[in-house]
Amino acid sequence: MVQATATPLVGKISEATPLAGVDLTKNTKEFIGDNLIGDGSTHIVNSGATYWFTGLSGAGKSTLSVALKEKIDKLVADNKKVFILDGDVIRQGLNKDLGFTPEARAENIRRISEVAKLFALAGQICFVAFISPYSKDRDFARKIHAEAGLKFYECHISASLEVCEQRDTKGLYKKAREGIIKNFTGISDPYEAPPSPELNIDTGSLSLDACQTLVINHMSAQNVLNDKNQARIAPSLVQECNEAELAHFATLKTLDIDIHQAQYL
């Protein structure tokens, strides 16, 4: 009779593998992968959401988006939870075939709206940093998010035309004033400011830190970003009675019992 013996399987890690030299007996939180940053998270992304930053060129939409992403990346210890859709970048790729006529601008925003919705569906926070000058196009973005049951927040980055023109880091306003650039929002093309945005952020008067705080506080209030160390109250499962139910309950017989009787029931 041949007796089989169990031999434990022992894996070997060569110097060529990424795990070479890593002590696998340590807490796994100490292993930092490509998308993990820092020693541990203090917050969690609780739900996907689109924050739509609209405003004039030079208002600070992209600057605020990048600063927020860096901040949230550190809070959640993960650089894959936040994505930025930036006008300059998108027009070099996905929308490079589009111009700046009203029709082209509408198609530009339609495509971006659909992409932002997909990120929100995947449970990510998406910052959309686009001038998006027309209300009807931004309303379309809100509509498709609402239809999918997704969170959408319109944020007016409301630095004034004077402030934006003073900044003019790319010299675009100067060229627009000289007629070199046509259909330039705020100069030769209109900008329709949101009448009732979820957030109105005046980057002309507020510091970058203050602007970030406004957005982060909103995320916490809307249950998008949660502090892991802060107690949360779950929604109650008890529903309020309607008038018909209250009337019915009033007809039922009641029995008065004290605390001791309740304990042995």
Side-chain angles (χ1 to χ4, degrees):
M1 181 178 179
V2 179
Q3 184 176 2
T5 59
T7 303
L9 297 177
V10 179
K12 293 183 178 181
I13 299 176
S14 70
E15 292 298 326
T17 64
L19 292 178
V22 176
D23 186 351
L24 299 180
T25 64
K26 289 186 176 181
N27 191 314
T28 54
K29 289 193 296 184
E30 296 183 18
F31 181 78
I32 299 182
D34 291 340
N35 66 310
L36 300 180
I37 57 178
D39 296 326
S41 63
T42 59
H43 291 66
I44 59 171
V45 174
N46 191 60
S47 68
T50 293
Y51 278 78
W52 194 285
F53 290 174
T54 174
L56 296 172
S57 176
K61 302 178 295 296
S62 296
T63 300
L64 179 56
S65 297
V66 171
L68 280 165
K69 174 172 169 52
E70 291 177 354
K71 186 178 186 68
I72 297 171
D73 284 353
K74 293 177 181 178
L75 291 175
V76 302
D78 191 339
N79 62 14
K80 297 284 193 300
K81 297 297 185 183
V82 179
F83 197 86
I84 299 173
L85 293 174
D86 176 84
D88 293 339
V89 174
I90 294 298
R91 281 191 174 275
Q92 294 175 12
L94 177 64
N95 292 349
K96 66 180 180 181
D97 60 319
L98 299 176
F100 291 90
T101 64
E103 295 76 18
R105 286 180 184 270
E107 175 60 16
N108 180 50
I109 298 305
R110 187 195 69 79
R111 295 181 190 178
I112 296 308
S113 301
E114 295 289 355
V115 174
K117 185 182 78 170
L118 294 177
F119 278 107
L121 276 170
Q124 292 182 283
I125 296 172
C126 184
F127 291 119
V128 178
F130 276 75
I131 294 173
S132 45
Y134 306 134
S135 295
K136 64 180 179 62
D137 298 330
R138 300 192 301 266
D139 290 343
F140 169 79
R142 183 187 295 277
K143 176 175 176 289
I144 64 171
H145 280 72
E147 290 174 346
L150 298 170
K151 296 178 179 180
F152 178 92
Y153 306 108
E154 187 177 37
C155 309
H156 186 199
I157 311 304
S158 58
S160 67
L161 175 61
E162 291 73 25
V163 169
C164 294
E165 198 162 359
Q166 285 172 6
R167 293 171 177 170
D168 202 16
T169 55
K170 302 175 184 177
L172 300 179
Y173 281 98
K174 183 176 184 297
K175 292 179 180 178
R177 292 289 187 190
E178 294 172 350
I180 298 174
I181 299 179
K182 309 295 183 184
N183 306 118
F184 191 82
T185 302
I187 303 299
S188 52
D189 215 48
Y191 176 75
E192 299 172 0
S196 54
E198 278 78 12
L199 284 172
N200 190 321
I201 305 173
D202 185 358
T203 54
S205 61
L206 296 174
S207 68
L208 182 57
D209 283 343
C211 293
Q212 291 181 76
T213 298
L214 285 175
V215 179
I216 296 294
N217 287 347
H218 184 272
M219 287 181 168
S220 297
Q222 298 301 318
N223 208 29
V224 173
L225 185 68
N226 294 142
D227 186 337
K228 293 167 65 176
N229 298 315
Q230 184 174 357
R232 286 184 290 155
I233 300 175
S236 175
L237 297 178
V238 178
Q239 297 181 351
E240 294 292 333
C241 298
N242 57 39
E243 292 185 5
E245 289 172 330
L246 289 173
H248 173 66
F249 294 154
T251 66
L252 300 177
K253 293 182 178 180
T254 60
L255 176 66
D256 292 329
I257 59 175
D258 59 33
I259 184 64
H260 301 293
Q261 291 172 313
Q263 288 174 347
Y264 62 72
L265 278 178

